Amino acid sequence: MKARIAGSAQMALAVFSLFTLLAGDFWRNLLGWPAFLSICGVAIVIYAMLLVRGWPRIRHRGLPITLVVFLAWAGLSLIWSFYRGATALGLVALYGTTIVAFGMAYLLPWSTFVRALGTALRWVLGLSLAFELWVALIIRHPVLPIWLHVKGKIPGEFYWCEGLLLHGGPIQGIMGNRNLLGFVALLGIVVFSVQLADNLIWKFWGYFWLGISLLCIALTQSATVIFAMFLVLICGAFALWARKRGDGKHRRVYWSALFIFIGLGLLAFAFGPVIAQVVGRSPDFTGRADIWQIVVHLWEQKPVLGWGWISYWAPWVAPFNHLVVRHGVTYLQAHNAWLDVLMQVGLVGGIMFAVLIGTAIWRAWFRAVDRPRWDARTDRPFVALHMLPLFILACLCAQSLAESRILVEGGWALLAICAVATKLPDTLNEHPRLIAADPKA
């Protein structure tokens, strides 16, 4: 009985933590920054205590070295940082998020984590549509975050919700940003599809939430998410092809994937502005091209070591104060994670980050295509469940080309979780009874 209560409490903690990581803007906009930081602090302390208690078992399972090396390099950047106070704050956020991610990755079986992630995604998507409907029908005017007080003309980017649901969007949901809501909806499509494929959720609710996810993507009108969805579909097709061919017969798959991705990269490079116009965006990718030029210029000034880790750009320190201002809005990221990493921790950190991503994808690929996992209840192999890390990493990599969210909050947590989960032994294969007694719960 105690074990069941403890398991339920751990599940609830994981759902709440994932909700907060994916929709931190909800708490900030609703309660303000002090309350949000308090929530984060409590979660970090709880997971730190759980990790300390479980450390004897965790240390034998190993850490992803590439992740640890990147974390250490970001910490060392405090020595040469141009803004040491802001770097210290950024490191607190980075390490705190990593503690929470490690807590879920090491203490939860993969199947339980997927259930928690699916539940958190349903809360984010459901509350987002309910919030948009409430603003459109009841409030009937744009809503600002509780902590924001401005006078005069207010830029549209400042609003938490503009109430455009009944006009067909774009909608921002509880996060106040259509790209972030669209990304959560894409994660929903991936997770709910995996649960449906492996019969881990009631079909009615699985298809219902799959429909909600598609609806949210359509209403956000996010070109970034459409591109990410396209990349995930390609990865899924190649993974299924490789799995069908069997072990040791992947050469044709690899060459085909290399040819297609190089071709797509060349097309994007040659016809990027044209493609942007086709999907209804400006040729400069909604101002991103200007931001990228500014960030590249900063990196060129400190190419090897960078300016120092900072995570979100702190608008109160140089060189970020008034670095990028568009239509009265100060931007706090490079809108490209790779450029952000190069600028913050230099070429050395950029190589470490690339190795971290590459090794995680490499392990996720072989976990997805090489080894069958069996459900002891039905004597059938799990296929989709263990392809999920590959799909999540594909989503994160696609988003990283237009957003820097992989470096903070939910993006970093999912990257860290996938890096750990793909390194650990297959808990489902070793302990099939770790699967929930009622997989449709």
Side-chain angles (χ1 to χ4, degrees), residues 118 121-127 129-130 185 188-189 191-193 195-196 201-217:
L121 291 171
R122 289 195 290 271
W123 274 105
V124 174
L125 295 173
L127 286 176
L129 287 179
I189 290 176
V191 172
F192 304 144
S193 296
Q195 291 179 320
L196 282 168
I201 191 173
W202 288 108
K203 289 191 180 298
F204 171 81
W205 289 113
Y207 286 116
F208 173 81
W209 285 106
L210 199 58
I212 292 294
S213 300
L214 289 168
L215 176 63
C216 285
I217 287 180

Side-chain angles (χ1 to χ4, degrees), residues 49 62 82 95 107 115 130 160 180 214 238 247 389 422 424 432:
M49 293 171 60
F82 188 78
Y95 294 154
L107 303 177
R115 288 177 59 210
W160 183 5
L180 299 185
L214 289 168
F238 278 116
D247 295 346
T422 53
L424 295 179

Side-chain angles (χ1 to χ4, degrees), residues 131-137 139-145 154-167 169-174 176-178:
F131 177 57
E132 290 281 348
L133 191 61
W134 178 65
V135 173
L137 291 178
I139 303 299
R140 297 185 180 181
H141 61 77
V143 176
L144 286 169
I154 302 174
E157 289 83 357
F158 282 12
Y159 287 111
W160 183 5
C161 176
E162 294 187 78
L164 299 177
L165 176 63
L166 301 183
H167 299 279
I171 65 172
Q172 300 99 347
I174 60 174
N177 185 294
R178 65 178 181 175

Side-chain angles (χ1 to χ4, degrees), residues 96-391:
T97 303
T98 304
I99 288 172
V100 175
F102 277 7
M104 287 184 279
Y106 282 106
L107 303 177
L108 294 177
W110 182 247
S111 58
T112 305
F113 167 75
V114 174
R115 288 177 59 210
L117 179 58
T119 302
L121 291 171
R122 289 195 290 271
W123 274 105
V124 174
L125 295 173
L127 286 176
S128 291
L129 287 179
F131 177 57
E132 290 281 348
L133 191 61
W134 178 65
V135 173
L137 291 178
I138 307 300
I139 303 299
R140 297 185 180 181
H141 61 77
V143 176
L144 286 169
I146 191 172
W147 55 268
L148 185 60
H149 303 283
V150 294
K151 296 180 180 180
K153 185 178 180 180
I154 302 174
E157 289 83 357
F158 282 12
Y159 287 111
W160 183 5
C161 176
E162 294 187 78
L164 299 177
L165 176 63
L166 301 183
H167 299 279
I171 65 172
Q172 300 99 347
I174 60 174
M175 288 95 83
N177 185 294
R178 65 178 181 175
N179 290 323
L180 299 185
L181 177 59
F183 181 74
V184 169
L186 176 59
L187 286 177
I189 290 176
V190 169
V191 172
F192 304 144
S193 296
V194 163
Q195 291 179 320
L196 282 168
D198 280 342
N199 197 30
L200 297 172
I201 191 173
W202 288 108
K203 289 191 180 298
F204 171 81
W205 289 113
Y207 286 116
F208 173 81
W209 285 106
L210 199 58
I212 292 294
S213 300
L214 289 168
L215 176 63
C216 285
I217 287 180
L219 290 172
T220 58
Q221 302 174 15
S222 173
T224 301
V225 172
I226 294 173
F227 166 73
M229 186 188 303
F230 182 61
L231 181 61
V232 172
L233 288 173
I234 294 176
C235 290
F238 278 116
L240 290 173
W241 183 19
R243 192 179 183 96
K244 186 176 181 180
R245 287 183 64 83
D247 295 346
K249 300 178 181 179
H250 300 158
R251 182 174 299 177
R252 185 178 298 178
V253 178
Y254 296 150
W255 280 110
S256 299
L258 181 64
F259 176 78
I260 287 178
F261 280 114
I262 290 177
L264 290 174
L266 292 174
L267 283 174
F269 180 78
F271 302 104
V274 176
I275 295 172
Q277 288 181 308
V278 169
V279 297
R281 296 294 179 266
S282 59
D284 66 346
F285 303 100
T286 320
R288 284 178 171 83
D290 294 335
I291 300 174
W292 297 339
Q293 286 182 343
I294 294 172
V295 175
V296 169
H297 178 67
L298 275 180
W299 170 58
E300 289 173 343
Q301 296 177 45
K302 300 176 180 290
V304 179
L305 301 180
W307 289 74
W309 180 261
I310 197 170
S311 163
Y312 285 118
W313 297 355
W316 61 85
V317 300
F320 304 111
N321 48 347
H322 308 297
L323 179 64
V324 181
V325 181
R326 289 175 54 86
H327 310 298
V329 179
T330 301
Y331 283 76
L332 304 180
Q333 59 159 315
H335 281 284
N336 182 293
W338 303 90
L339 293 180
D340 235 335
V341 169
L342 285 173
M343 182 271 293
Q344 295 184 38
V345 288
L347 183 61
V348 177
I351 293 173
M352 292 177 180
F353 184 69
V355 173
L356 165 60
I357 297 288
T359 53
I361 291 176
W362 185 255
R363 294 192 302 267
W365 170 264
F366 285 107
R367 170 163 291 213
V369 305
D370 278 354
R371 298 173 296 168
R373 285 92 180 168
W374 292 88
D375 180 350
R377 298 170 298 101
T378 63
D379 197 33
R380 290 174 50 214
F382 284 108
V383 176
L385 185 64
H386 290 274
M387 297 176 76
L388 185 58
L390 180 65
F391 294 152

